[in-house]
């Protein structure tokens, strides 16, 4: 799928990522959405290093409890999910969320071993 081309639900990847960026409190390149300066002031990771957010600052996504985000992002994402569910009759599909630094290392090593190192960011730089 081309980044701006709508999927079968009529949602472009760019717009979905933009909405997810707003839910997570960060700007997304190429998105028509812009995070507020207050959201950016604290940094995308709430003042913690990338991959080093303490579990006390994370919360499970209610409809996918094995995935975690910053607590404030879960609140915003839940509101987005309510609107999505009322329009499409199902929960917003989520296939990735917060990754610890160790998880970032694991996935970088995994994709490198598969000959596709570009599929994962350098640990500590993950979006």
């Amino acid at each position: 799928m081309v980044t701006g081309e709508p999927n079968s639900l009529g949602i472009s990847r760019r717009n979905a990522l933009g909405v997810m960026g707003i839910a997570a409190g960060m700007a997304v390149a190429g998105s028509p959405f812009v995070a507020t300066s207050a959201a950016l002031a604290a940094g995308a990771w709430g003042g913690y290093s990338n991959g080093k957010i303490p579990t006390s600052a994370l919360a499970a996504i209610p409809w996918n409890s094995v995935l975690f985000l910053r607590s404030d992002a879960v609140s915003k994402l839940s509101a987005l999910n309510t609107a999505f569910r009322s329009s499409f009759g199902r929960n917003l599909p989520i296939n990735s969320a917060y990754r610890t630094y160790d998880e970032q290392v694991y996935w970088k090593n995994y994709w490198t071993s598969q000959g596709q190192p570009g599929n994962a960011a350098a640990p500590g730089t993950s979006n």
Side-chain angles (χ1 to χ4, degrees), residues 78-120:
S78 293
L80 176 65
N81 186 59
T82 298
F84 183 91
R85 191 175 49 243
S86 70
S87 293
F88 300 105
R90 62 187 175 88
N91 287 322
L92 187 63
I94 305 291
N95 65 2
S96 183
Y98 178 74
R99 290 188 182 139
T100 66
Y101 185 84
D102 290 342
E103 289 170 321
Q104 292 176 40
V105 169
Y106 171 85
W107 285 110
K108 185 62 173 180
N109 289 339
Y110 170 81
W111 285 112
T112 299
S113 74
Q114 300 298 307
Q116 298 176 337
N119 283 356

Side-chain angles (χ1 to χ4, degrees), residues 24-27 35-50 53 70 72 76:
M26 62 186 106
T36 65
S37 59
L40 295 175
W45 301 281
Y48 299 101
S49 298
N50 185 308
I53 299 174
R70 279 188 3 207
D72 60 325
K76 293 173 185 177

